[in-house]
Each structure stands twice: as structure tokens, then as C-alpha cells.
Amino acid sequence: MVGLGPGDAALLAPMAEAALAEAHCIVGYGPYVDLVSPALLAGKDVVATGMTGEVARCRAALEAAAAGRRVVLVSSGDAGVYGMAGLALEMLDAMGLPQALEFSVVPGIPAVCAAAALLGAPLTHDFAVISLSDLLTPLPVIEARLEAAFAADFVVAIYNPRSRKRSGHLAEALARAARHRDPQTPVGMVKNAFRPAQEIRLTSLAQADPDWADMLTLVVVGNSSSRLAAGRFLTPRGYAGKYALEG
Amino acid sequence: MVGLGPGDAALLAPMAEAALAEAHCIVGYGPYVDLVSPALLAGKDVVATGMTGEVARCRAALEAAAAGRRVVLVSSGDAGVYGMAGLALEMLDAMGLPQALEFSVVPGIPAVCAAAALLGAPLTHDFAVISLSDLLTPLPVIEARLEAAFAADFVVAIYNPRSRKRSGHLAEALARAARHRDPQTPVGMVKNAFRPAQEIRLTSLAQADPDWADMLTLVVVGNSSSRLAAGRFLTPRGYAGKYALEG
């Protein structure tokens, strides 16, 4: 299992690159496979499938591995954060293959850290990571997690904020945040972090436009201490209460 | 701001390495500076300070940058996750230097993803990241966040679980988890992920030994669906309810 990070080759660690270089077979969602450099794909079996093909992808990867091939299943970001590591492990178990296979995960830079780096320092205190996709999770569970995270003053990082079928979920999540947070609380939205089409919006709960987000946008809502500092999104850790920070 | 990831050079992305290579001055907590390869430190001003020297470190870095030098302030993991990015941004603002300086963050692999990779796939669903350090955060705030995260069925990743002064916090956090979770819920603990002294414990809420953890251990407590699969820590995403996963 290899997470490709944000997609920029300069953010792919040597360990991940080596795993790709040594693979016989590379399996993944088409647009993620496209993030792998052509030099690393050359001469390999490449299996690229569509968006809802996760189960087929994992099965192809595990069957190839069971046949003795060295297989890399790629995710974007980190393979363990809403990535394929979980499904692959679950199917490895369900298919009864654990003895035959060696399973390992090479960690990567998750989308939440890539977006945070571009926004400033929004994650410098406790945070919750929540996906708004209700394809596999009942909406009431998602809503209860949002409510708990805002009420307990977590910074909240939102994956999968919108899709054509779920156009209202992000607006509802921001409205929920507004019941717990000041209207000036920073809200950051990042599309295509560290890719050519990168777009960053740093705004506030009062001004945030949920319709700007798409399925791949990462949204960060601050906690009660978050604010703008030097034009960036800052969540202070609490040093100012104990130390003099001025020059 | 550069996060060095877990510390293994094979997990340091080229963008971070280039920032270090191009710096005039590298500033950080001593043990983190020691993670930088000697070749990257050679010929540079290196400022390594002690554990509670964060404010002094940031001031040194910002003053050098204000004097026109290219400075890298290093953190372990990701610079934005309990790292130095927040304090640096806060002091940049407090010291009134924003116009003079260019501030940027190179994302890294956070400790939570490194630990998760070694445990299996514990973070494949919504998760909360909480530090048990009460040096800068009141204990009741930490306890309220733990309570909210366990009650709303987040996977919970715990940073800074123990220190000499806080020997009981992790035991209390696990006892709190046990009021919301089955005793068989997986608990993973990882020390020194991807470093020579790496140690991994995969156990359960009933069996977990909080005294094994130290300040740098990363602890992950599963949600109500988490279980062992093929000997690893799995948090299923929910595919099994919609698809046939067997071979």
C-alpha cells in the first residue's frame, strides 16, 4: 500500500518511490495512477479502474500478490486516511490469504496536511478529520461526529465535502459550525494542493461559500482560538498565555 | 517550516530535502536536528535548542530570516501537527515582521500516519487527534475532547500520552474509552516509528498497558467497528455492508 501524497513528485518520499520501482504490478484508481511518473510505470502491469471500482481493484491486487507478484496498490495522500489500506486489509482477511502474503503500508503525506501547509498552521492543536461522504456511512453518524467535534472545540478537517448527489452537506456542516463558533472563525478551502490547478480560499464562517467546494476540496474550520495571523490561518497552541512572543 | 517525517531519510520528500539543502540556517530541537543528515547540515549555521526552548528557537529563526537569511525551522513529523508552524506564524505576527518575510510550510508525514502504517489500517474512518500534554492546554479541555471523541465513535489518535509529570493521563484516557467501547477494541502503541529503536504493540482496551508508553509514543484507540484482521489493526470503512469481499 503506497500513498502518493498530494501528487507532486517532490512530495513523494524515496521509500514510496522505491516500492513503486520494485513492483511488478501497480493497481489504482485511474487519476491516481496518472500521478505516478511514466518512468515508474514503464514495463509494469498497470491496472487502473474507475471511481467505484475499489473492491475490484483490491481483488486484482490481492490475486496478483497471491500469485507471487510484487504489487503496489496506490492511493492519493496517505494510504491509511480514507485510502485503500483498510479495504485491502479487510479483503486480505475475508479472502483467507493472510498466510500467503506480506502486507505493508508506506505512509504518505495526507491531504489534510498538504492543505494545512498551504493555509498556514490550522492544525497546531487537537483536530478531528471527518468525511461528508454518506456512500458508506449513515448521514446521522456523520452529523453526530460534526456536532461532537464542533462542541468540543476541535479544529475540524472535512474530506469529500460535496458531490453532485450531496450538494447540501457542506452548507449544513458550516451552519452547524456557526452554532458553536464566532462568525469570524477562519475557514480554509484547498483544491488540488501542490498540483498545477491548486486553488486556496481563506475566508471565515460568515463568508465561506460551500458551493465553491467540490468532491476533492479539503475544508478546515478553526477552533475557538483560531484566527488570521500574518494573512494565514493560525490555530495557536497556547504559548501566548505563558510566554512573551513579541520581538 | 519543514517537517522531517518519522526521521528515516527514506521518508523525507525531495521538497523538504531541497529546502534544507538551500537553507543558510537550520533551527530546531536538538534531537530533531540530529535527524537531518550531516551532509545537509554541513557549512550551515545550526541552532539546536532544548525541549522547552520553542520560543527561543522561533525567535532565533525569525530574526535570522528578518536579516535576510534563508532559514529552515525543523519539526519532526508534519510541521503543522503539534509542530512549530503555529508558533512561528504566531510570533511572526506578534513581532510585526510579516511584510519582511516569506513564510512557507513544506508538509511532511505526521507521526499519526507513520504509526498507523505500522499498525495496519486504523485510520480508514473518521478520527480525532488529541494531545494529552497539559503544559499549554487545561486538563478539563483535554478530557472533554476525549469524551466527545469516544462518545461520537471516532478513532482516537493520542499524542504525548505520558511524561514523568503526567504518568496517569493515558490510563485515565483508556479508562474513559472503556466506558464507550468493547474491551476487545484494538489499541495500538508505536514508539520510534521507522527508526532503529522502533517498537509496536497491538493489543486491546482490556489488555493495554499505559505504563509501556512514553512521551513520544503514538497511541491509537479504535472505533466501535475496529477489529483485528490478518493480525493487523483494521477500521473498516463500510464496504462489507455493500459488497461481497470474499475471494
Side-chain angles (χ1 to χ4, degrees):
Chain A
M1 313 300 311
V2 170
L4 299 172
D8 183 331
L11 289 172
L12 185 71
M15 190 183 290
E17 189 168 345
L20 290 163
E22 290 160 14
H24 303 120
C25 179
I26 294 176
V27 182
Y29 173 46
Y32 299 159
V33 172
D34 292 344
L35 295 175
V36 179
S37 75
L40 287 169
L41 294 175
K44 296 188 166 67
D45 284 349
V46 176
V47 181
T49 61
M51 193 163 65
T52 55
E54 297 100 314
V55 171
R57 268 204 296 285
C58 271
R59 193 181 308 279
L62 292 169
E63 285 173 352
R69 312 206 75 206
R70 197 172 172 95
V71 182
V72 169
L73 187 55
V74 296
S75 294
S76 71
D78 178 78
V81 176
Y82 305 115
M84 296 293 284
L87 181 60
L89 189 54
E90 191 172 4
M91 291 184 67
L92 177 65
D93 191 47
M95 292 169 71
L97 301 172
Q99 262 68 41
L101 294 185
E102 196 185 314
F103 175 91
S104 71
V105 181
V106 178
I109 296 169
V112 61
C113 289
L118 294 170
L119 291 167
L123 302 180
T124 321
H125 215 308
D126 304 331
F127 62 97
V129 177
I130 303 176
S131 167
L132 296 193
S133 171
D134 60 354
L135 290 176
L136 297 169
T137 306
L139 191 56
V141 171
I142 298 169
E143 290 172 338
R145 287 180 181 158
L146 288 166
E147 183 66 23
F150 290 128
D153 203 22
F154 284 95
V155 175
V156 177
I158 296 173
Y159 277 69
N160 306 123
R162 274 186 108 235
S163 70
R164 264 163 297 182
K165 289 185 188 164
R166 296 174 285 111
S167 64
H169 289 196
L170 180 59
E172 287 159 27
L174 295 176
R176 187 179 295 279
R179 295 198 284 276
H180 296 277
R181 298 273 191 287
D182 188 273
Q184 293 315 308
T185 303
V187 173
M189 301 192 194
V190 178
K191 285 181 190 173
N192 295 303
F194 296 98
R195 296 189 204 172
Q198 171 180 300
E199 292 182 83
I200 304 167
R201 283 218 176 170
L202 179 48
T203 172
S204 65
L205 262 182
Q207 301 283 330
D209 175 12
D211 291 339
W212 184 77
D214 61 19
M215 193 176 60
L216 294 175
T217 303
L218 201 300
V219 180
V220 184
V221 180
N223 71 13
S224 63
S225 302
S226 300
R227 61 181 172 85
L228 294 189
R232 310 293 182 102
F233 187 152
L234 167 69
T235 300
R237 184 84 188 269
Y239 290 98
K242 288 189 84 163
Y243 301 92
L245 303 184
E246 303 76 27
Chain B
M1 313 300 313
V2 170
L4 299 172
D8 183 331
L11 289 172
L12 184 70
M15 190 184 290
E17 189 169 344
L20 290 163
E22 291 160 13
H24 303 119
C25 179
I26 294 177
V27 181
Y29 173 44
Y32 298 159
V33 171
D34 292 344
L35 295 174
V36 179
S37 76
L40 287 169
L41 294 176
K44 296 189 167 67
D45 284 348
V46 176
V47 181
T49 62
M51 193 164 64
T52 54
E54 297 101 314
V55 171
R57 269 203 294 287
C58 270
R59 192 181 308 278
L62 292 169
E63 285 173 351
R69 312 205 75 205
R70 195 171 174 94
V71 181
V72 170
L73 186 55
V74 295
S75 294
S76 71
D78 177 79
V81 176
Y82 304 116
M84 296 293 285
L87 181 60
L89 189 54
E90 192 171 3
M91 290 183 68
L92 178 65
D93 192 46
M95 292 168 72
L97 302 171
Q99 261 67 44
L101 294 184
E102 197 185 313
F103 174 91
S104 71
V105 181
V106 178
I109 296 170
V112 62
C113 289
L118 295 171
L119 291 168
L123 303 180
T124 320
H125 215 309
D126 304 330
F127 61 98
V129 177
I130 302 175
S131 167
L132 297 193
S133 172
D134 60 353
L135 290 176
L136 297 169
T137 306
L139 190 56
V141 171
I142 298 169
E143 290 172 338
R145 286 179 182 159
L146 288 167
E147 183 66 23
F150 290 128
D153 204 23
F154 283 96
V155 176
V156 177
I158 296 174
Y159 277 68
N160 308 121
R162 273 186 109 235
S163 70
R164 264 164 297 183
K165 290 185 187 163
R166 295 174 286 111
S167 65
H169 289 194
L170 179 58
E172 288 160 27
L174 295 177
R176 186 179 296 279
R179 295 199 283 277
H180 296 279
R181 299 273 192 286
D182 188 273
Q184 294 314 308
T185 303
V187 173
M189 301 194 193
V190 179
K191 284 181 190 173
N192 295 304
F194 295 98
R195 296 189 203 173
Q198 172 180 300
E199 292 182 83
I200 304 168
R201 282 216 177 171
L202 179 49
T203 173
S204 65
L205 261 182
Q207 300 283 330
D209 176 12
D211 291 338
W212 185 77
D214 62 19
M215 192 174 63
L216 294 175
T217 304
L218 201 298
V219 180
V220 183
V221 180
N223 70 13
S224 63
S225 302
S226 299
R227 61 181 172 85
L228 295 189
R232 309 294 182 102
F233 187 151
L234 168 68
T235 300
R237 184 81 189 270
Y239 290 99
K242 289 190 82 164
Y243 301 93
L245 304 184
E246 303 76 28

